[in-house]
């Protein structure tokens, strides 16, 4: 399951580095706050890549818990699968009701 965390970290880092490189090459020295709702709005490509990388980095633990729930369900370990679903519900609620 470590591949989920490592893959998420690698992809998020690549997106943020690409956004930073584009910002430096284009001479953009100011960053705009980009919400998830306006990710594909009127922002620069650099800002969008950095925001997408940060969102992916934040979502990586949720993806790992979902993968663990699938494994536990496949192994018929109902206790861990149920507890994992509770954690997924809590994380999803936190993400959905968060401000930012």
């Amino acid at each position: 399951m470590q591949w989920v965390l490592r893959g998420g970290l690698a992809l998020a880092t690549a997106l943020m580095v690409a956004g930073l490189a584009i910002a430096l090459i284009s001479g953009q020295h100011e960053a705009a706050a980009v919400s998830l709702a306006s990710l594909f709005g009127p922002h620069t490509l650099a800002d969008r890549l950095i925001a997408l990388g940060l969102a992916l980095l934040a979502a990586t633990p949720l993806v790992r818990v979902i993968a663990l729930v699938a494994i536990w369900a496949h192994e018929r370990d109902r206790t861990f699968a149920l507890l994992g679903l509770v954690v997924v519900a809590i994380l999803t609620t936190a993400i959905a009701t968060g401000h930012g």
Side-chain angles (χ1 to χ4, degrees):
M1 288 302 2
Q2 245 183 358
W3 63 270
V4 173
L5 292 177
R6 288 183 184 180
L9 176 62
L11 186 56
T13 301
L15 287 169
M16 289 186 285
V17 167
L20 179 61
I22 291 170
L24 291 174
I25 290 169
S26 67
Q28 176 187 350
H29 297 295
E30 295 179 10
V34 179
S35 67
L36 287 179
S38 67
L39 189 60
F40 299 104
H43 300 286
T44 65
L45 178 61
D47 288 339
R48 288 184 285 173
L49 285 175
I50 292 170
L52 189 59
L54 288 171
L56 180 63
L57 189 63
T60 299
L62 177 62
V63 173
R64 181 176 180 170
V65 174
I66 291 170
L68 285 171
V69 167
I71 289 171
W72 290 327
H74 179 69
E75 293 176 350
R76 299 184 196 280
D77 192 344
R78 292 185 179 125
T79 302
F80 279 112
L82 182 60
L83 288 173
L85 286 174
V86 169
V87 171
V88 168
I90 291 169
L91 290 172
T92 302
T93 302
I95 291 169
T97 60
H99 303 283

